Amino acid sequence: MNESLASVNHKQIGYRIKEVREQNNFSQAQLAEETELSISYISHIENAKRKASLESIIRIVNALGITVDELLAGAVSYTHLTL
């Protein structure tokens, strides 16, 4: 039986969101407004205090003008197990 597990690095995702947000000269308030998410939620995602939902990730990448692939580059590690 083959199983694969994906481990998502939420700290890295938060870091990437903050990095791209700052490159785009967006404040957390501006990103929150563009995504219709709260400023505190954006802050919590960036600081890995909360895990972003898929819907939130899509709103964020659309507002930042990047793809989900670009956001997740380096933020997801894959471990393949063979049992």
Side-chain angles (χ1 to χ4, degrees), residues 5-46:
L5 302 174
S7 175
V8 178
N9 185 333
H10 294 281
K11 186 174 182 177
Q12 183 66 27
I13 290 171
Y15 174 80
R16 286 280 300 138
I17 289 170
K18 181 177 181 179
E19 179 180 52
V20 177
R21 175 179 61 75
E22 289 177 344
Q23 288 172 355
N24 288 333
N25 296 313
F26 272 33
S27 66
Q28 286 182 340
Q30 289 169 313
L31 183 57
E33 184 176 328
E34 285 289 320
T35 58
E36 298 181 354
L37 302 169
S38 72
I39 298 168
S40 63
Y41 185 62
I42 298 292
S43 175
H44 287 155
I45 292 169
E46 288 184 354

